[in-house]
Amino acid sequence: MSSIEEIDTDETFTSDYVSARKDEVDDIITATTIAQKKMENSIFEKLGSTENGNIIEKKKILNFLMNGIERIPMSHQGLDSSKVWISFWILNGMDMLDSLDSYPNISSRASKYLSILQNDDNNNNNNRDNNQNGGGFGGGNSHTSHVVSTFAAVSALYVIGTEESYKTIDREAMYKFLIRMKTKEGAFTSEDGGEYDSRTTYCAIAVASMLNILTPELERGVVDFLLSCQTYEGGFGAYPFNEAHGGYTFCSVAALSILNSLHKIDMNSLHRWITYRQSNDGGFEGRTNKLVDTCYSYWQGAVYIIIQSYFNYYKKQQETDAKEGDRQEEGLLFNQFKLQEYVIRFCQQTDKKYSGFSDHPHRGKDYYHTCYGLSGISLSQYNEIGKAIQSLNTFTNTFDQPSPPINKNSTNIFTISNNNNNNNNNNNNNNNNNNNNNNNSEDQLVEPVHPVYNIKLSKCEKGLKYFYSLNSINSNNGTK
């Protein structure tokens, strides 16, 4: 992959030329500029509000999520093929707020439902030839297996984090399914006869690594395919020669992290591209010249942390004489305060009973943006979160080294409520009766999640330990 500096630049478009035409360019009206202006107005309106918008309304968010366990609102009822994803968004959101395990019968209820979506070799409820189409999970009842839906189901079962949930998964049937999805290009198709891209490839590699079924046969060609998706901008597209996109960049970088191949990326080019994805609004945009979106607080935020972990690893290798205790954790590579402000203050939609996150200010809350909004907040709160990536390959090899602890002390965490440089807070907040007494720093913490898997660290470690205690899968579709 060539770095950006090697690309020839047309002399016509120099900085002086662009500066001279700036006013002319700014006057061009497009759908994007109109939407951006509307968003800016919404943000200015929120900044002028006397409401204490820097508080995560945990109790109301839990009300919103728990209500979804019992019944889905009409706005979501058309998403039949996304039932498994809705399950993950709700369960993971509750777990990040440390309230999932205490929910009555959640393990048995969720495991039983997700088992219905699994198409294993012995499952005849879908009226298909399961010997040919078995393995994996569908997105909804009686749906064919789909790699992305499978990743959502396995992640949800990890989040539940019980032996009952782990045993729901048929690993041998899963391996056969993933092998069947493998393409000659080194990618994985979404389903039988479906498309393939960096997203489906990440989902397959993530599932295989989570279940201890990642074999050389599954890995073959994957690194080369993903590297071919890096664009001249520095980010990654869905497919070679596609536009760089935040979601596909995460999928490519996270999968390469699992495969110990981060060093093969043009990392300086990637770092440059993602640095420009945090806008003045504080949120992350998914593509160049596009609106920011709450969900990218995780998709892009995780990439920042993977990059930082990569750089820190090689920096540590060069500082072998330095003692571990002498190193102080630095802040993250993005503006943590501005990101939290965008998600919490601008995109948290609260009423008398419920709260959740939307993609943009003054839009309706939904489970998807609530889940990934919380994930992004979590990543931005823990300066040490990159340690989880550095130990990932130790997890999947020996388990001799446990997950590094994430210290919840004032020097290693960053919350919008304890930032002394918050010059944007309205002084009238002290007069606001918020009826919310959880505004100290620790109460505002979201549970730390793994940047590569988006699962709470403790649940991630527990699941990996369980599956790596089982017999591994060999390339002959059976256990060793």
Side-chain angles (χ1 to χ4, degrees), residues 167-201:
K167 287 184 175 180
T168 300
I169 304 168
D170 186 334
R171 293 169 66 239
E172 292 190 27
M174 180 71 74
Y175 185 77
K176 295 176 184 178
F177 169 64
L178 294 179
I179 284 291
R180 198 169 71 246
M181 296 301 104
K182 188 72 186 293
T183 74
K184 62 181 181 180
E185 292 82 3
F188 292 82
T189 60
S190 59
E191 56 187 336
D192 290 299
E195 79 283 3
Y196 67 89
D197 52 32
S198 54
R199 174 194 60 151
T200 57
T201 302

PDB file of all heavy atoms in Angstrom, residues 167-201:
ATOM      1  N   LYS A 167     -22.997 -23.069  25.766  1.00  0.00           N
ATOM      2  CA  LYS A 167     -23.330 -24.388  25.225  1.00  0.00           C
ATOM      3  C   LYS A 167     -24.412 -24.320  24.150  1.00  0.00           C
ATOM      4  O   LYS A 167     -24.673 -25.330  23.480  1.00  0.00           O
ATOM      5  CB  LYS A 167     -23.766 -25.312  26.366  1.00  0.00           C
ATOM      6  CG  LYS A 167     -22.613 -25.755  27.260  1.00  0.00           C
ATOM      7  CD  LYS A 167     -23.065 -26.741  28.320  1.00  0.00           C
ATOM      8  CE  LYS A 167     -21.878 -27.271  29.126  1.00  0.00           C
ATOM      9  NZ  LYS A 167     -22.300 -28.233  30.165  1.00  0.00           N
ATOM     10  N   THR A 168     -25.022 -23.177  23.991  1.00  0.00           N
ATOM     11  CA  THR A 168     -25.998 -23.006  22.913  1.00  0.00           C
ATOM     12  C   THR A 168     -25.347 -23.149  21.547  1.00  0.00           C
ATOM     13  O   THR A 168     -25.964 -23.612  20.584  1.00  0.00           O
ATOM     14  CB  THR A 168     -26.665 -21.615  23.024  1.00  0.00           C
ATOM     15  OG1 THR A 168     -27.329 -21.510  24.283  1.00  0.00           O
ATOM     16  CG2 THR A 168     -27.659 -21.382  21.901  1.00  0.00           C
ATOM     17  N   ILE A 169     -24.073 -22.795  21.461  1.00  0.00           N
ATOM     18  CA  ILE A 169     -23.380 -22.719  20.172  1.00  0.00           C
ATOM     19  C   ILE A 169     -22.843 -24.086  19.764  1.00  0.00           C
ATOM     20  O   ILE A 169     -22.118 -24.730  20.513  1.00  0.00           O
ATOM     21  CB  ILE A 169     -22.219 -21.707  20.244  1.00  0.00           C
ATOM     22  CG1 ILE A 169     -22.731 -20.333  20.691  1.00  0.00           C
ATOM     23  CG2 ILE A 169     -21.509 -21.598  18.894  1.00  0.00           C
ATOM     24  CD1 ILE A 169     -21.638 -19.354  21.068  1.00  0.00           C
ATOM     25  N   ASP A 170     -23.186 -24.503  18.543  1.00  0.00           N
ATOM     26  CA  ASP A 170     -22.663 -25.730  17.958  1.00  0.00           C
ATOM     27  C   ASP A 170     -21.386 -25.367  17.199  1.00  0.00           C
ATOM     28  O   ASP A 170     -21.438 -24.889  16.070  1.00  0.00           O
ATOM     29  CB  ASP A 170     -23.697 -26.351  17.021  1.00  0.00           C
ATOM     30  CG  ASP A 170     -23.281 -27.712  16.484  1.00  0.00           C
ATOM     31  OD1 ASP A 170     -22.064 -27.977  16.404  1.00  0.00           O
ATOM     32  OD2 ASP A 170     -24.170 -28.500  16.124  1.00  0.00           O
ATOM     33  N   ARG A 171     -20.238 -25.593  17.820  1.00  0.00           N
ATOM     34  CA  ARG A 171     -18.955 -25.153  17.245  1.00  0.00           C
ATOM     35  C   ARG A 171     -18.615 -25.910  15.965  1.00  0.00           C
ATOM     36  O   ARG A 171     -18.094 -25.322  15.009  1.00  0.00           O
ATOM     37  CB  ARG A 171     -17.845 -25.310  18.276  1.00  0.00           C
ATOM     38  CG  ARG A 171     -17.981 -24.385  19.474  1.00  0.00           C
ATOM     39  CD  ARG A 171     -17.015 -24.766  20.585  1.00  0.00           C
ATOM     40  NE  ARG A 171     -15.632 -24.573  20.203  1.00  0.00           N
ATOM     41  CZ  ARG A 171     -14.718 -25.541  20.183  1.00  0.00           C
ATOM     42  NH1 ARG A 171     -15.061 -26.797  20.491  1.00  0.00           N
ATOM     43  NH2 ARG A 171     -13.472 -25.282  19.852  1.00  0.00           N
ATOM     44  N   GLU A 172     -18.872 -27.207  15.922  1.00  0.00           N
ATOM     45  CA  GLU A 172     -18.526 -27.969  14.731  1.00  0.00           C
ATOM     46  C   GLU A 172     -19.379 -27.536  13.541  1.00  0.00           C
ATOM     47  O   GLU A 172     -18.867 -27.386  12.418  1.00  0.00           O
ATOM     48  CB  GLU A 172     -18.672 -29.462  14.996  1.00  0.00           C
ATOM     49  CG  GLU A 172     -17.638 -30.001  15.981  1.00  0.00           C
ATOM     50  CD  GLU A 172     -17.636 -31.511  16.054  1.00  0.00           C
ATOM     51  OE1 GLU A 172     -18.022 -32.158  15.056  1.00  0.00           O
ATOM     52  OE2 GLU A 172     -17.247 -32.047  17.099  1.00  0.00           O
ATOM     53  N   ALA A 173     -20.662 -27.351  13.762  1.00  0.00           N
ATOM     54  CA  ALA A 173     -21.525 -26.865  12.686  1.00  0.00           C
ATOM     55  C   ALA A 173     -21.119 -25.448  12.280  1.00  0.00           C
ATOM     56  O   ALA A 173     -21.172 -25.089  11.092  1.00  0.00           O
ATOM     57  CB  ALA A 173     -22.985 -26.890  13.127  1.00  0.00           C
ATOM     58  N   MET A 174     -20.695 -24.660  13.264  1.00  0.00           N
ATOM     59  CA  MET A 174     -20.249 -23.292  12.967  1.00  0.00           C
ATOM     60  C   MET A 174     -19.013 -23.319  12.076  1.00  0.00           C
ATOM     61  O   MET A 174     -18.904 -22.527  11.111  1.00  0.00           O
ATOM     62  CB  MET A 174     -19.939 -22.554  14.273  1.00  0.00           C
ATOM     63  CG  MET A 174     -19.463 -21.121  14.077  1.00  0.00           C
ATOM     64  SD  MET A 174     -20.810 -20.052  13.515  1.00  0.00           S
ATOM     65  CE  MET A 174     -21.726 -19.900  15.061  1.00  0.00           C
ATOM     66  N   TYR A 175     -18.093 -24.205  12.371  1.00  0.00           N
ATOM     67  CA  TYR A 175     -16.873 -24.287  11.563  1.00  0.00           C
ATOM     68  C   TYR A 175     -17.204 -24.668  10.121  1.00  0.00           C
ATOM     69  O   TYR A 175     -16.668 -24.089   9.166  1.00  0.00           O
ATOM     70  CB  TYR A 175     -15.892 -25.285  12.170  1.00  0.00           C
ATOM     71  CG  TYR A 175     -14.574 -25.327  11.437  1.00  0.00           C
ATOM     72  CD1 TYR A 175     -13.631 -24.319  11.622  1.00  0.00           C
ATOM     73  CD2 TYR A 175     -14.286 -26.354  10.541  1.00  0.00           C
ATOM     74  CE1 TYR A 175     -12.429 -24.343  10.936  1.00  0.00           C
ATOM     75  CE2 TYR A 175     -13.078 -26.389   9.860  1.00  0.00           C
ATOM     76  CZ  TYR A 175     -12.156 -25.373  10.061  1.00  0.00           C
ATOM     77  OH  TYR A 175     -10.972 -25.392   9.373  1.00  0.00           O
ATOM     78  N   LYS A 176     -18.079 -25.631   9.952  1.00  0.00           N
ATOM     79  CA  LYS A 176     -18.491 -26.027   8.601  1.00  0.00           C
ATOM     80  C   LYS A 176     -19.123 -24.846   7.860  1.00  0.00           C
ATOM     81  O   LYS A 176     -18.892 -24.650   6.661  1.00  0.00           O
ATOM     82  CB  LYS A 176     -19.485 -27.183   8.670  1.00  0.00           C
ATOM     83  CG  LYS A 176     -18.912 -28.472   9.221  1.00  0.00           C
ATOM     84  CD  LYS A 176     -20.000 -29.537   9.341  1.00  0.00           C
ATOM     85  CE  LYS A 176     -19.471 -30.805   9.985  1.00  0.00           C
ATOM     86  NZ  LYS A 176     -20.528 -31.831  10.141  1.00  0.00           N
ATOM     87  N   PHE A 177     -19.925 -24.083   8.568  1.00  0.00           N
ATOM     88  CA  PHE A 177     -20.571 -22.914   7.965  1.00  0.00           C
ATOM     89  C   PHE A 177     -19.542 -21.897   7.514  1.00  0.00           C
ATOM     90  O   PHE A 177     -19.591 -21.401   6.379  1.00  0.00           O
ATOM     91  CB  PHE A 177     -21.536 -22.299   8.983  1.00  0.00           C
ATOM     92  CG  PHE A 177     -22.079 -20.946   8.590  1.00  0.00           C
ATOM     93  CD1 PHE A 177     -22.889 -20.795   7.477  1.00  0.00           C
ATOM     94  CD2 PHE A 177     -21.772 -19.822   9.349  1.00  0.00           C
ATOM     95  CE1 PHE A 177     -23.399 -19.549   7.131  1.00  0.00           C
ATOM     96  CE2 PHE A 177     -22.265 -18.573   9.011  1.00  0.00           C
ATOM     97  CZ  PHE A 177     -23.087 -18.437   7.890  1.00  0.00           C
ATOM     98  N   LEU A 178     -18.575 -21.575   8.370  1.00  0.00           N
ATOM     99  CA  LEU A 178     -17.567 -20.581   8.012  1.00  0.00           C
ATOM    100  C   LEU A 178     -16.689 -21.063   6.860  1.00  0.00           C
ATOM    101  O   LEU A 178     -16.339 -20.274   5.961  1.00  0.00           O
ATOM    102  CB  LEU A 178     -16.709 -20.240   9.237  1.00  0.00           C
ATOM    103  CG  LEU A 178     -17.430 -19.531  10.387  1.00  0.00           C
ATOM    104  CD1 LEU A 178     -16.471 -19.266  11.542  1.00  0.00           C
ATOM    105  CD2 LEU A 178     -18.072 -18.222   9.924  1.00  0.00           C
ATOM    106  N   ILE A 179     -16.339 -22.338   6.863  1.00  0.00           N
ATOM    107  CA  ILE A 179     -15.564 -22.882   5.748  1.00  0.00           C
ATOM    108  C   ILE A 179     -16.349 -22.744   4.448  1.00  0.00           C
ATOM    109  O   ILE A 179     -15.790 -22.415   3.390  1.00  0.00           O
ATOM    110  CB  ILE A 179     -15.204 -24.358   6.016  1.00  0.00           C
ATOM    111  CG1 ILE A 179     -14.059 -24.445   7.035  1.00  0.00           C
ATOM    112  CG2 ILE A 179     -14.830 -25.072   4.728  1.00  0.00           C
ATOM    113  CD1 ILE A 179     -12.720 -23.954   6.513  1.00  0.00           C
ATOM    114  N   ARG A 180     -17.646 -23.002   4.523  1.00  0.00           N
ATOM    115  CA  ARG A 180     -18.487 -22.892   3.325  1.00  0.00           C
ATOM    116  C   ARG A 180     -18.574 -21.456   2.819  1.00  0.00           C
ATOM    117  O   ARG A 180     -18.751 -21.212   1.619  1.00  0.00           O
ATOM    118  CB  ARG A 180     -19.878 -23.441   3.638  1.00  0.00           C
ATOM    119  CG  ARG A 180     -20.700 -23.776   2.410  1.00  0.00           C
ATOM    120  CD  ARG A 180     -21.957 -24.567   2.756  1.00  0.00           C
ATOM    121  NE  ARG A 180     -22.947 -23.764   3.435  1.00  0.00           N
ATOM    122  CZ  ARG A 180     -23.338 -23.948   4.688  1.00  0.00           C
ATOM    123  NH1 ARG A 180     -22.773 -24.902   5.419  1.00  0.00           N
ATOM    124  NH2 ARG A 180     -24.266 -23.197   5.231  1.00  0.00           N
ATOM    125  N   MET A 181     -18.446 -20.481   3.718  1.00  0.00           N
ATOM    126  CA  MET A 181     -18.541 -19.072   3.341  1.00  0.00           C
ATOM    127  C   MET A 181     -17.215 -18.532   2.790  1.00  0.00           C
ATOM    128  O   MET A 181     -17.186 -17.432   2.225  1.00  0.00           O
ATOM    129  CB  MET A 181     -18.942 -18.218   4.549  1.00  0.00           C
ATOM    130  CG  MET A 181     -20.329 -18.530   5.118  1.00  0.00           C
ATOM    131  SD  MET A 181     -21.680 -18.328   3.947  1.00  0.00           S
ATOM    132  CE  MET A 181     -22.039 -20.048   3.567  1.00  0.00           C
ATOM    133  N   LYS A 182     -16.134 -19.265   2.945  1.00  0.00           N
ATOM    134  CA  LYS A 182     -14.812 -18.776   2.534  1.00  0.00           C
ATOM    135  C   LYS A 182     -14.728 -18.666   1.011  1.00  0.00           C
ATOM    136  O   LYS A 182     -15.184 -19.538   0.278  1.00  0.00           O
ATOM    137  CB  LYS A 182     -13.737 -19.742   3.054  1.00  0.00           C
ATOM    138  CG  LYS A 182     -12.305 -19.254   2.877  1.00  0.00           C
ATOM    139  CD  LYS A 182     -11.997 -18.126   3.839  1.00  0.00           C
ATOM    140  CE  LYS A 182     -10.630 -17.542   3.580  1.00  0.00           C
ATOM    141  NZ  LYS A 182      -9.534 -18.473   3.891  1.00  0.00           N
ATOM    142  N   THR A 183     -14.128 -17.572   0.516  1.00  0.00           N
ATOM    143  CA  THR A 183     -13.985 -17.345  -0.921  1.00  0.00           C
ATOM    144  C   THR A 183     -12.527 -17.504  -1.332  1.00  0.00           C
ATOM    145  O   THR A 183     -11.611 -17.466  -0.514  1.00  0.00           O
ATOM    146  CB  THR A 183     -14.449 -15.938  -1.313  1.00  0.00           C
ATOM    147  OG1 THR A 183     -13.463 -14.973  -0.872  1.00  0.00           O
ATOM    148  CG2 THR A 183     -15.798 -15.603  -0.688  1.00  0.00           C
ATOM    149  N   LYS A 184     -12.311 -17.642  -2.624  1.00  0.00           N
ATOM    150  CA  LYS A 184     -10.948 -17.786  -3.141  1.00  0.00           C
ATOM    151  C   LYS A 184     -10.141 -16.505  -2.959  1.00  0.00           C
ATOM    152  O   LYS A 184      -8.913 -16.532  -2.964  1.00  0.00           O
ATOM    153  CB  LYS A 184     -10.992 -18.163  -4.621  1.00  0.00           C
ATOM    154  CG  LYS A 184     -11.654 -17.118  -5.511  1.00  0.00           C
ATOM    155  CD  LYS A 184     -11.689 -17.563  -6.969  1.00  0.00           C
ATOM    156  CE  LYS A 184     -12.334 -16.503  -7.854  1.00  0.00           C
ATOM    157  NZ  LYS A 184     -12.384 -16.919  -9.285  1.00  0.00           N
ATOM    158  N   GLU A 185     -10.831 -15.358  -2.790  1.00  0.00           N
ATOM    159  CA  GLU A 185     -10.135 -14.091  -2.568  1.00  0.00           C
ATOM    160  C   GLU A 185      -9.603 -13.956  -1.151  1.00  0.00           C
ATOM    161  O   GLU A 185      -8.849 -13.018  -0.855  1.00  0.00           O
ATOM    162  CB  GLU A 185     -11.078 -12.912  -2.865  1.00  0.00           C
ATOM    163  CG  GLU A 185     -11.459 -12.741  -4.319  1.00  0.00           C
ATOM    164  CD  GLU A 185     -12.594 -13.649  -4.747  1.00  0.00           C
ATOM    165  OE1 GLU A 185     -13.134 -14.383  -3.879  1.00  0.00           O
ATOM    166  OE2 GLU A 185     -12.950 -13.633  -5.937  1.00  0.00           O
ATOM    167  N   GLY A 186     -10.021 -14.849  -0.264  1.00  0.00           N
ATOM    168  CA  GLY A 186      -9.595 -14.764   1.128  1.00  0.00           C
ATOM    169  C   GLY A 186     -10.630 -14.118   2.025  1.00  0.00           C
ATOM    170  O   GLY A 186     -10.391 -13.959   3.226  1.00  0.00           O
ATOM    171  N   ALA A 187     -11.774 -13.753   1.468  1.00  0.00           N
ATOM    172  CA  ALA A 187     -12.847 -13.133   2.239  1.00  0.00           C
ATOM    173  C   ALA A 187     -13.879 -14.191   2.632  1.00  0.00           C
ATOM    174  O   ALA A 187     -13.683 -15.391   2.416  1.00  0.00           O
ATOM    175  CB  ALA A 187     -13.497 -12.022   1.418  1.00  0.00           C
ATOM    176  N   PHE A 188     -14.989 -13.729   3.210  1.00  0.00           N
ATOM    177  CA  PHE A 188     -16.103 -14.602   3.565  1.00  0.00           C
ATOM    178  C   PHE A 188     -17.395 -13.986   3.046  1.00  0.00           C
ATOM    179  O   PHE A 188     -17.626 -12.786   3.217  1.00  0.00           O
ATOM    180  CB  PHE A 188     -16.200 -14.783   5.085  1.00  0.00           C
ATOM    181  CG  PHE A 188     -15.058 -15.554   5.682  1.00  0.00           C
ATOM    182  CD1 PHE A 188     -13.853 -14.932   5.982  1.00  0.00           C
ATOM    183  CD2 PHE A 188     -15.184 -16.913   5.941  1.00  0.00           C
ATOM    184  CE1 PHE A 188     -12.797 -15.633   6.535  1.00  0.00           C
ATOM    185  CE2 PHE A 188     -14.125 -17.634   6.491  1.00  0.00           C
ATOM    186  CZ  PHE A 188     -12.939 -16.993   6.792  1.00  0.00           C
ATOM    187  N   THR A 189     -18.231 -14.807   2.422  1.00  0.00           N
ATOM    188  CA  THR A 189     -19.524 -14.306   1.960  1.00  0.00           C
ATOM    189  C   THR A 189     -20.473 -14.187   3.145  1.00  0.00           C
ATOM    190  O   THR A 189     -20.286 -14.808   4.192  1.00  0.00           O
ATOM    191  CB  THR A 189     -20.146 -15.235   0.911  1.00  0.00           C
ATOM    192  OG1 THR A 189     -20.334 -16.532   1.490  1.00  0.00           O
ATOM    193  CG2 THR A 189     -19.262 -15.347  -0.310  1.00  0.00           C
ATOM    194  N   SER A 190     -21.501 -13.384   2.974  1.00  0.00           N
ATOM    195  CA  SER A 190     -22.458 -13.177   4.048  1.00  0.00           C
ATOM    196  C   SER A 190     -23.342 -14.396   4.272  1.00  0.00           C
ATOM    197  O   SER A 190     -23.721 -14.716   5.395  1.00  0.00           O
ATOM    198  CB  SER A 190     -23.335 -11.961   3.737  1.00  0.00           C
ATOM    199  OG  SER A 190     -24.027 -12.152   2.508  1.00  0.00           O
ATOM    200  N   GLU A 191     -23.672 -15.096   3.192  1.00  0.00           N
ATOM    201  CA  GLU A 191     -24.534 -16.270   3.237  1.00  0.00           C
ATOM    202  C   GLU A 191     -24.312 -17.052   1.956  1.00  0.00           C
ATOM    203  O   GLU A 191     -23.527 -16.633   1.092  1.00  0.00           O
ATOM    204  CB  GLU A 191     -26.003 -15.846   3.357  1.00  0.00           C
ATOM    205  CG  GLU A 191     -26.467 -14.910   2.243  1.00  0.00           C
ATOM    206  CD  GLU A 191     -27.856 -14.371   2.476  1.00  0.00           C
ATOM    207  OE1 GLU A 191     -28.630 -15.031   3.198  1.00  0.00           O
ATOM    208  OE2 GLU A 191     -28.181 -13.304   1.934  1.00  0.00           O
ATOM    209  N   ASP A 192     -24.962 -18.171   1.820  1.00  0.00           N
ATOM    210  CA  ASP A 192     -24.812 -18.947   0.598  1.00  0.00           C
ATOM    211  C   ASP A 192     -25.246 -18.106  -0.596  1.00  0.00           C
ATOM    212  O   ASP A 192     -26.401 -17.676  -0.685  1.00  0.00           O
ATOM    213  CB  ASP A 192     -25.660 -20.218   0.676  1.00  0.00           C
ATOM    214  CG  ASP A 192     -25.110 -21.208   1.681  1.00  0.00           C
ATOM    215  OD1 ASP A 192     -23.967 -21.653   1.509  1.00  0.00           O
ATOM    216  OD2 ASP A 192     -25.826 -21.536   2.658  1.00  0.00           O
ATOM    217  N   GLY A 193     -24.306 -17.836  -1.513  1.00  0.00           N
ATOM    218  CA  GLY A 193     -24.615 -17.023  -2.679  1.00  0.00           C
ATOM    219  C   GLY A 193     -24.632 -15.534  -2.412  1.00  0.00           C
ATOM    220  O   GLY A 193     -25.015 -14.747  -3.289  1.00  0.00           O
ATOM    221  N   GLY A 194     -24.218 -15.105  -1.224  1.00  0.00           N
ATOM    222  CA  GLY A 194     -24.270 -13.693  -0.860  1.00  0.00           C
ATOM    223  C   GLY A 194     -23.010 -12.933  -1.226  1.00  0.00           C
ATOM    224  O   GLY A 194     -22.064 -13.463  -1.802  1.00  0.00           O
ATOM    225  N   GLU A 195     -23.001 -11.637  -0.867  1.00  0.00           N
ATOM    226  CA  GLU A 195     -21.867 -10.774  -1.149  1.00  0.00           C
ATOM    227  C   GLU A 195     -20.769 -11.006  -0.128  1.00  0.00           C
ATOM    228  O   GLU A 195     -20.986 -11.613   0.918  1.00  0.00           O
ATOM    229  CB  GLU A 195     -22.304  -9.311  -1.126  1.00  0.00           C
ATOM    230  CG  GLU A 195     -22.450  -8.684   0.262  1.00  0.00           C
ATOM    231  CD  GLU A 195     -23.720  -9.087   0.993  1.00  0.00           C
ATOM    232  OE1 GLU A 195     -24.505  -9.914   0.478  1.00  0.00           O
ATOM    233  OE2 GLU A 195     -23.931  -8.583   2.112  1.00  0.00           O
ATOM    234  N   TYR A 196     -19.581 -10.510  -0.432  1.00  0.00           N
ATOM    235  CA  TYR A 196     -18.489 -10.557   0.536  1.00  0.00           C
ATOM    236  C   TYR A 196     -17.786  -9.211   0.557  1.00  0.00           C
ATOM    237  O   TYR A 196     -17.723  -8.497  -0.439  1.00  0.00           O
ATOM    238  CB  TYR A 196     -17.504 -11.691   0.234  1.00  0.00           C
ATOM    239  CG  TYR A 196     -16.710 -11.541  -1.043  1.00  0.00           C
ATOM    240  CD1 TYR A 196     -15.490 -10.877  -1.071  1.00  0.00           C
ATOM    241  CD2 TYR A 196     -17.174 -12.105  -2.236  1.00  0.00           C
ATOM    242  CE1 TYR A 196     -14.749 -10.755  -2.236  1.00  0.00           C
ATOM    243  CE2 TYR A 196     -16.443 -11.989  -3.416  1.00  0.00           C
ATOM    244  CZ  TYR A 196     -15.236 -11.313  -3.408  1.00  0.00           C
ATOM    245  OH  TYR A 196     -14.514 -11.184  -4.572  1.00  0.00           O
ATOM    246  N   ASP A 197     -17.260  -8.848   1.721  1.00  0.00           N
ATOM    247  CA  ASP A 197     -16.547  -7.588   1.892  1.00  0.00           C
ATOM    248  C   ASP A 197     -15.764  -7.654   3.198  1.00  0.00           C
ATOM    249  O   ASP A 197     -15.679  -8.703   3.833  1.00  0.00           O
ATOM    250  CB  ASP A 197     -17.510  -6.390   1.873  1.00  0.00           C
ATOM    251  CG  ASP A 197     -18.673  -6.522   2.842  1.00  0.00           C
ATOM    252  OD1 ASP A 197     -18.483  -7.144   3.915  1.00  0.00           O
ATOM    253  OD2 ASP A 197     -19.772  -6.012   2.552  1.00  0.00           O
ATOM    254  N   SER A 198     -15.189  -6.535   3.589  1.00  0.00           N
ATOM    255  CA  SER A 198     -14.385  -6.511   4.818  1.00  0.00           C
ATOM    256  C   SER A 198     -15.251  -6.682   6.064  1.00  0.00           C
ATOM    257  O   SER A 198     -14.777  -7.177   7.092  1.00  0.00           O
ATOM    258  CB  SER A 198     -13.586  -5.202   4.901  1.00  0.00           C
ATOM    259  OG  SER A 198     -14.431  -4.076   4.769  1.00  0.00           O
ATOM    260  N   ARG A 199     -16.525  -6.301   5.989  1.00  0.00           N
ATOM    261  CA  ARG A 199     -17.429  -6.456   7.134  1.00  0.00           C
ATOM    262  C   ARG A 199     -17.707  -7.938   7.399  1.00  0.00           C
ATOM    263  O   ARG A 199     -17.560  -8.420   8.523  1.00  0.00           O
ATOM    264  CB  ARG A 199     -18.735  -5.715   6.869  1.00  0.00           C
ATOM    265  CG  ARG A 199     -19.798  -5.919   7.916  1.00  0.00           C
ATOM    266  CD  ARG A 199     -21.164  -5.452   7.436  1.00  0.00           C
ATOM    267  NE  ARG A 199     -21.574  -6.177   6.237  1.00  0.00           N
ATOM    268  CZ  ARG A 199     -22.849  -6.427   5.901  1.00  0.00           C
ATOM    269  NH1 ARG A 199     -23.825  -5.996   6.668  1.00  0.00           N
ATOM    270  NH2 ARG A 199     -23.148  -7.078   4.792  1.00  0.00           N
ATOM    271  N   THR A 200     -18.125  -8.678   6.355  1.00  0.00           N
ATOM    272  CA  THR A 200     -18.415 -10.098   6.540  1.00  0.00           C
ATOM    273  C   THR A 200     -17.154 -10.861   6.939  1.00  0.00           C
ATOM    274  O   THR A 200     -17.224 -11.821   7.710  1.00  0.00           O
ATOM    275  CB  THR A 200     -18.988 -10.697   5.250  1.00  0.00           C
ATOM    276  OG1 THR A 200     -18.069 -10.485   4.158  1.00  0.00           O
ATOM    277  CG2 THR A 200     -20.317 -10.047   4.887  1.00  0.00           C
ATOM    278  N   THR A 201     -16.011 -10.393   6.440  1.00  0.00           N
ATOM    279  CA  THR A 201     -14.749 -11.062   6.760  1.00  0.00           C
ATOM    280  C   THR A 201     -14.384 -10.872   8.224  1.00  0.00           C
ATOM    281  O   THR A 201     -13.965 -11.809   8.914  1.00  0.00           O
ATOM    282  CB  THR A 201     -13.640 -10.544   5.836  1.00  0.00           C
ATOM    283  OG1 THR A 201     -14.021 -10.783   4.474  1.00  0.00           O
ATOM    284  CG2 THR A 201     -12.321 -11.232   6.119  1.00  0.00           C
TER     285      THR A 201
END
